[in-house]
Structure formats: C-alpha cells, structure tokens
C-alpha cells in the first residue's frame, strides 16, 4: 500500500560550496537567464564517505524544472521492494523516501511530496505492474524505480529481468513521466557475486541504451565496504542485508544531490549580482 511521507524528519544543514558559487557567478556575468541548480554540500559527507561517482544522468529533469520555476508542488513516486518500503529503518520516517522528501524540500524551498510505494519481497514482475498502474493514473513528476535485488537473489532469468526493465521504461516514456533507476544493493553475503553483478550491469546497460538515469546504489555501498567493514556495517541493519537509518539517510542525501544536479532554475537578479561578485574573488 502506498504511504505518503508527510513528516519532515530533522535533517542536516546544507551549505553551498565556494566552487559552485563561483561557477554560478560566472554564469551570471555571462547574463544567462537560467542555471543548473547548485548541488548542495552535505554536512553528513564525512559520515557517509566521499564515494566516487555512482550516478549516470541522461540530460535534465525538465518537468520538475518547470514545476519549480512556477513554484508549483513537486510529486515523486518511489517504487520498489523492501529498500523503498524501509525495512531495517527504526520507523517509517527514516526510510529513504521520507528522508529524500525532507532533503529536496530543504534544497528547493518548495513543496515536495515523495510517495513511498515500496513492498518488501517483490521482484520486478510484481513491481512493474504497479508501476504501470501508477503511470496510468498519472500525477507524478518523477518516478524512482528501485529494482533488481530480489530478482538476482531469487533466481529470475537474466533475459526475463531485462525484458521487465524494458517494459517499465517503455511505460514511463509512453506516459511522458521522467524516470530514474535505482539499482541493487550491495551486501557482504552475496552467494553468487558473478551472477549478482551481471544483474547490476543489466540495469546500467539498459539505462544507458534507453537514456534513463541510473543511480548505482551497489557501487556506493561497495565503496563503503572497501573503505572499511565497520563503515558498511553501520549502514546496514541488524540482518546485515537491509539498510539502517544511517544507510537510508546517506542514500537519500546522495539521490537528492544527483536529482538537484539535473534541475534548472532561474537565477534572481539579486543572486546574480552577489554570485558575480563571488566569481571575481
């Protein structure tokens, strides 16, 4: 059952980096009417780790850009299995969709609703039907489809999994709704790493072929483990499989940053003047 995350949990503060300010100032000096939304620098970067790039964008999020520039509410659907539902979190408002809502609301200073449509244990076969129904109903500016972990673990055929990815992507494109794929999680006890990583790669390959952005949760979590087993353990719940509150927090922060990087917003004249001055320093 879908759950709308209404509360805004207490979140970290955000700061704009000097580099981003200088870039925005340069754009202002060139009298550009619009600029890419600056990517916030999170106070949790130290605790989450400065992982390398795990996101492959495919252009800009035009629908969200238009909504924000008209100061209209933005509505996002987060759909998937237990990682979306929030299994392992201490309470519902610690699941990643709720924390993503709080992050984006703070970054954009606009009304953002992230609908949690996660159901634990689902494979893509089940989720894609709910995705198609949600797209037919409409009302979303963006869908984040967390997909593939249960398929890889449950022995779903690789060809069948690819066909389901194609089906979901086609449904989103037909409806005109922008889509981001969120790939599989990494966990220490993967039984068949070679098979599992082929499923991870399928998400990346199909996303690139179909021009759909992909956020690699697998790469992010594997980097945590490579940095230290203690860091990875802190990101996982007691079952060493699902994420903990901290893991969901870090996931939401990274996803929010990458979504913000694909949004274009107008720069107010007062901001242009200030940022141009910063660019001359």
């Amino acid at each position: 059952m879908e759950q709308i995350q209404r509360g805004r949990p207490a979140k970290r503060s955000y700061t704009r980096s000097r580099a981003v300010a200088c870039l925005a100032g340069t754009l202002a000096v060139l009298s550009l009417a619009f600029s890419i939304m600056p990517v916030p620098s999170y106070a949790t970067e130290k605790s989450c780790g400065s992982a390398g790039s795990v996101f492959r964008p495919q252009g800009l999020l035009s629908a969200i850009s238009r909504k924000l520039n008209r100061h209209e509410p933005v509505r996002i659907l987060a759909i998937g299995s237990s990682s979306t539902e929030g299994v392992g979190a201490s309470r519902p408002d610690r699941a990643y969709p709720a924390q993503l809502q709080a992050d984006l609301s703070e970054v954009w200073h606009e009304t953002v609703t992230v609908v949690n449509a996660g159901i634990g244990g689902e494979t893509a076969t089940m989720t894609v039907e709910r995705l198609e129904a949600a797209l037919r109903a409409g009302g979303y500016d963006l869908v984040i489809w967390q997909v593939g972990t249960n398929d890889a673990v449950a022995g779903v055929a690789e060809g069948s999994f690819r066909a389901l990815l194609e089906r979901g992507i086609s449904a989103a494109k037909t409806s005109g709704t922008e889509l981001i794929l969120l790939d599989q999680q990494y966990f220490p006890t993967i039984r068949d790493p070679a098979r599992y990583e082929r499923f991870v790669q399928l998400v990346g390959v199909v996303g690139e072929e179909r021009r759909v952005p992909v956020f690699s949760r697998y790469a992010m979590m594997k980097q945590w483990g490579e940095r230290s087993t203690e860091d990875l353990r802190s990101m996982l719940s007691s079952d060493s499989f699902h994420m903990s509150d901290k893991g969901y927090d870090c996931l939401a922060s990274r996803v929010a940053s990458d979504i913000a990087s694909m949004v274009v917003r107008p720069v107010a004249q007062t901001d242009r003047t200030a940022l141009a001055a910063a660019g001359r320093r």
Side-chain angles (χ1 to χ4, degrees):
M1 180 180 295
E2 295 188 358
Q3 300 175 350
I4 298 179
Q5 304 295 345
R6 299 186 183 280
R8 292 187 182 178
K11 296 296 292 183
R12 50 225 167 255
S13 61
Y14 301 89
T15 60
R16 179 180 292 172
S17 69
R18 182 181 180 126
V20 172
C22 290
L23 174 60
T26 301
L27 293 176
V29 170
L30 295 173
S31 299
L32 293 179
F34 291 85
S35 70
I36 300 297
M37 185 71 176
V39 180
S41 173
Y42 295 111
T44 55
E45 183 173 330
K46 188 175 293 185
S47 62
C48 290
S50 54
S53 177
V54 296
F55 185 63
R56 281 171 281 183
Q58 300 288 350
L60 300 174
L61 295 175
S62 300
I64 289 181
S65 297
R66 289 192 296 269
K67 280 286 193 76
L68 292 173
N69 295 335
R70 294 194 296 258
H71 302 288
E72 296 176 356
V74 170
R75 189 170 170 82
I76 298 172
L77 176 67
I79 193 166
S81 55
S82 57
S83 295
T84 299
E85 181 182 359
V87 174
S90 61
R91 57 181 195 259
D93 67 355
R94 297 301 180 188
Y96 107 79
Q99 302 208 56
L100 178 64
Q101 175 176 296
D103 286 341
L104 290 176
S105 297
E106 188 163 356
V107 169
W108 289 335
H109 305 291
E110 303 287 355
T111 300
V112 180
T113 299
V114 180
V115 175
N116 186 335
I119 297 181
E122 278 196 343
T123 60
T125 302
M126 301 171 238
T127 308
V128 75
E129 294 180 354
R130 296 195 298 116
L131 173 60
E132 289 170 336
L135 290 168
R136 285 194 299 270
Y140 296 106
D141 304 298
L142 173 68
V143 172
I144 304 171
W145 184 14
Q146 170 255 312
V147 63
T149 297
N150 292 329
D151 300 82
V153 171
V156 173
E158 293 173 42
S160 299
F161 177 63
R162 178 175 183 131
L164 290 165
L165 283 175
E166 295 274 7
R167 177 177 161 184
I169 291 170
S170 293
K173 288 184 176 293
T174 298
S175 71
T177 306
E178 290 166 324
L179 175 70
I180 292 175
L181 296 176
L182 180 64
D183 76 6
Q184 296 86 341
Q185 67 199 65
Y186 172 80
F187 57 99
T189 56
I190 298 173
R191 292 185 180 179
D192 187 347
R195 169 186 158 83
Y196 196 90
E197 290 199 350
R198 288 198 300 272
F199 274 72
V200 174
Q201 291 164 8
L202 269 174
V203 177
V205 167
V206 173
E208 185 172 356
E209 290 176 352
R210 299 296 303 274
R211 303 287 298 169
V212 172
V214 177
F215 182 96
S216 183
R217 181 172 49 139
Y218 182 83
M220 177 182 71
M221 296 181 73
K222 193 169 184 180
Q223 288 169 7
W224 291 340
E226 289 169 348
R227 191 174 67 235
S228 93
T229 54
E230 290 75 18
D231 281 350
L232 178 60
R233 190 176 296 116
S234 73
M235 303 293 186
L236 299 175
S237 65
S238 58
D239 65 7
S240 297
F241 178 70
H242 295 99
M243 283 182 157
S244 64
D245 287 356
K246 181 180 178 182
Y248 286 128
D249 182 14
C250 291
L251 172 62
S253 296
R254 292 295 301 272
V255 172
S257 177
D258 289 326
I259 289 175
S261 74
M262 294 191 293
V263 168
V264 177
R265 302 201 70 180
V267 177
Q269 185 60 48
T270 54
D271 290 337
R272 288 199 190 103
T273 303
L275 292 174
R280 288 193 294 271
R281 292 175 188 170

